[in-house]
Amino acid sequence: MKIQALTSGKTFKNYKALCGELGLEVKRSGDSRKAQFKELERYCTYSKDGHSIIIEEVFEQPLQKIKRKGNNIVYKDKIEKLLLHYFAVNDFPVSKFHLMQGIRLFNHNYKRFFGSKRKLAYLEDVEDVEVFHFFQCSFNCLKKSLERCLDDLVKRGLLIEEKSLIKVWRFRESMPSIATQNEVKIIKKIECSLLVEFNVTTKSDLMFTDKWPEFIDMLNKKLKEELYLRSYYVAKSYKHTCEKRRAKSVLSQEDMEFNLSGLNFTVCDQLYKNFYRYKQRTKNQMSLSNQLLLISKLIASKENKNWFERSSWDKGEVFG
């Protein structure tokens, strides 16, 4: 990589232009591109605006390359146990967001403020940038953990992945229903037109920016005008491969609560560890006490509100 081409404030028109100036091979697959951007993060911080890539800060010394030890997830066992239980007692399609909340990867406030990040920043007297950073890092981390656990359960033959579908919330109806073929077609058309209008390729490019609320407002307005729908979401269901395994996966109420509470505590601790390492690595001015506040507000379940007091962290590193 030609790191001399990296300067603070420099904008590359698109991914291809970035590769050209840095002497990188243009990759076709998404995973290969992700690996290249992961390597780029050792040398600088960057942001995206549509297809453009903006270099923010170039490090004096490249960060140490992290060696991965397989695909280990700290709380993998608990997630898998709870997922197997969930799909043993539920056979209806569910969104990943709902599933993440269902196994207590975060609490109800996370969903409540996901589309109102500036409001949360105002209420808690925290900088907007810190709230946006928290949601982006935590959501990517937790969603990736969930997806890897689901994929692993499918590969091991414990779950069968059902076909995903779109469910819609209709006005005057109290429960979501499956979208018709015509509704799916129009929903995709509306979504594509808005992505073009916002100059992005996927909704993920907007999700953690201040343009997200505007995007959702426009999307819901068009859904109401063209289909008289309140909203929609992508849902998927999984089934156990055999009845005997399904029956064995059902947890007692006591075991379920134990695993839910334990998983939530570990998630709180691991997220704080991630933020702590990020601050040490990048010398970012981000406040650890603010990140601790957001974890307690948005992640910790009712029984784990005092999780930090029970953790092994040196309290002086946060409040000292």
Side-chain angles (χ1 to χ4, degrees), residues 8-234:
S8 299
K10 185 171 184 177
T11 299
F12 297 95
K13 183 179 179 182
N14 49 37
Y15 165 74
K16 192 173 181 180
L18 175 77
C19 290
E21 291 204 39
L22 298 185
L24 300 174
E25 180 183 351
V26 176
K27 301 288 187 180
R28 291 184 177 275
S29 77
D31 287 341
S32 297
R33 290 190 179 189
K34 286 179 183 177
Q36 287 179 319
F37 280 108
K38 200 71 181 173
E39 178 66 11
L40 180 63
E41 288 173 1
R42 292 181 57 217
Y43 300 93
C44 66
T45 58
Y46 65 91
S47 60
K48 291 183 178 180
D49 183 12
H51 295 293
S52 300
I53 300 156
I54 306 159
I55 305 301
E56 295 177 340
E57 179 185 359
V58 180
F59 306 140
E60 293 183 6
Q61 294 292 330
L63 303 178
Q64 186 176 355
K65 196 166 187 177
I66 299 173
K67 295 182 180 179
R68 295 189 176 274
K69 298 179 180 179
N71 287 327
N72 294 328
I73 302 171
V74 174
Y75 30 79
K76 181 174 184 289
D77 290 343
K78 284 188 174 66
I79 290 182
E80 290 189 349
K81 190 177 290 187
L82 289 167
L83 288 175
L84 289 171
H85 168 83
Y86 185 93
F87 291 113
V89 297
N90 298 293
D91 59 358
F92 51 83
V94 62
S95 70
K96 286 179 180 175
F97 203 100
H98 180 85
L99 188 55
M100 289 161 73
Q101 185 175 343
I103 62 173
R104 292 190 199 167
L105 291 182
F106 46 71
N107 64 41
H108 68 283
N109 284 323
Y110 196 93
K111 182 178 181 180
R112 176 187 170 195
F113 289 109
F114 195 84
S116 308
K117 301 177 183 67
R118 289 190 184 281
K119 181 180 179 181
L120 175 63
Y122 173 77
L123 291 173
E124 298 297 335
D125 194 23
V126 176
E127 292 291 335
D128 289 358
V129 65
E130 293 199 65
V131 173
F132 277 86
H133 175 80
F134 177 85
F135 272 101
Q136 183 173 16
C137 293
S138 61
F139 186 76
N140 287 341
C141 173
L142 298 175
K143 181 169 176 281
K144 194 173 292 183
S145 296
L146 177 74
E147 290 173 341
R148 281 162 57 181
C149 286
L150 285 170
D151 289 345
D152 193 46
L153 289 171
V154 171
K155 287 175 183 176
R156 284 156 52 197
L158 298 176
L159 290 179
I160 299 173
E161 183 178 357
E162 301 284 284
K163 185 178 180 180
S164 61
L165 49 86
I166 291 179
K167 301 197 77 173
V168 296
W169 284 94
R170 307 178 194 281
F171 286 98
R172 301 195 185 95
E173 290 187 6
S174 58
M175 295 293 290
S177 54
I178 299 174
T180 65
Q181 287 187 342
N182 184 56
E183 285 174 333
V184 171
K185 185 178 179 181
I186 296 175
I187 286 170
K188 289 184 176 179
K189 182 181 176 182
I190 291 172
E191 191 175 287
C192 286
S193 67
L194 285 175
L195 290 176
V196 171
E197 187 171 335
F198 279 81
N199 193 31
V200 294
T201 53
T202 67
K203 288 191 290 185
S204 298
D205 295 331
L206 286 170
M207 197 174 288
F208 304 105
T209 70
D210 53 7
K211 294 180 181 179
W212 180 246
E214 182 185 356
F215 176 84
I216 292 298
D217 287 344
M218 291 178 67
L219 177 62
N220 289 339
K221 184 179 178 181
K222 288 180 178 290
L223 286 173
K224 183 177 181 180
E225 290 174 351
E226 299 191 32
L227 294 170
Y228 203 59
L229 297 177
R230 281 191 289 166
S231 60
Y232 73 95
Y233 63 92
V234 178

